[in-house]
Amino acid sequence: MSDYTTPNRDSAAVVTVDAQRDYVEQDSPVKSAGCSSAVEPLGRLVRGARQRGLPIYHLVRFYWPDGSNVDLCRRQAVEEGMRVLMPGSQGAELVSSVAPPDGPRLDPHLLTDGQVQELGPRDHAIYKPRWGGFFGSCLDAELRRAGIDTLILAGWNFATSGRATLLEASERDYRIVLVPDACASVTAEAQHELGRVGVHLMPVDQCLTWVDGNRREAATA
């Protein structure tokens, strides 16, 4: 990897993508087995990031019941009665292993108005209207304001939202770490392709050990 793509520990943030209950609830029409298998590793990554003081940004979706803000590929289904990611519903909330302890519920009106919701000392929620986390959202502005240039990406549905968010981040010159075991359905082929475009692949334990390098360096300074 070149110096341009090498991730920086001291200016990194974790970004979770669509880590919401409707993707793992048994009776949800958008439930995914791949998401279910990533719940535990993703929770471990987020808890480890909190313990180490990293900022965390949770990208979330909401579907209004009339379908007015829904992707075209799902709009008709929502218009005809599919109820998923409904604002204010339990299914739209972050999964319990990712949500900050004692944090507030998501505020869909605040979030869809383009504002950041503070969920805890290091946790922030941002609404994204489409697959990619940067399209039509305040994510880029918030990251720049916080001086973040390295993203540790994880979450659901890599083939859609995860990949789109990663590519949008790359287009904006962020340094990227993807945590494959904390993502849903990252194939071996996808991992190979991502390595060729400057994305660093680190499983949860390796990623947290890498973050710990800051502490070791500070202790020996």
Side-chain angles (χ1 to χ4, degrees), residues 16-71:
T16 75
V17 182
D18 293 347
Q20 294 165 273
R21 295 179 183 179
D22 266 337
Y23 291 106
V24 297
E25 294 293 336
Q26 190 61 40
D27 58 351
S28 171
V30 293
K31 180 182 183 295
S32 167
C35 296
S36 298
S37 65
V39 169
E40 189 279 330
L42 180 59
R44 193 153 36 91
L45 173 69
V46 170
R47 290 190 300 273
R50 285 194 193 109
Q51 293 167 0
R52 290 160 174 80
L54 267 67
I56 306 167
Y57 295 85
H58 304 284
L59 305 179
V60 298
R61 300 291 300 278
F62 297 112
Y63 289 167
W64 297 121
D66 65 0
S68 58
N69 70 331
V70 179
D71 318 76

Side-chain angles (χ1 to χ4, degrees), residues 99-112:
D102 303 318
R105 295 189 63 171
L106 297 176
D107 184 336
H109 296 286
L110 177 77
L111 289 165
T112 57

Side-chain angles (χ1 to χ4, degrees), residues 88-149:
S89 69
Q90 286 291 334
E93 295 294 321
L94 294 170
V95 295
S96 58
S97 62
V98 168
D102 303 318
R105 295 189 63 171
L106 297 176
D107 184 336
H109 296 286
L110 177 77
L111 289 165
T112 57
D113 193 42
Q115 300 184 58
V116 178
Q117 183 181 2
E118 303 300 327
L119 303 179
R122 299 178 181 87
D123 289 75
H124 322 270
I126 292 176
Y127 166 73
K128 63 184 186 69
R130 289 295 182 267
W131 304 117
F134 290 86
F135 177 82
S137 82
C138 62
L139 177 61
D140 188 48
E142 286 300 310
L143 295 173
R144 304 290 183 192
R145 180 188 60 78
I148 292 165
D149 69 2

Side-chain angles (χ1 to χ4, degrees), residues 160-175:
T160 51
S161 294
R163 186 189 297 270
T165 300
L166 184 151
L167 292 176
E168 288 176 352
S170 178
E171 290 169 348
R172 289 160 177 80
D173 292 336
Y174 286 97
R175 300 159 189 255

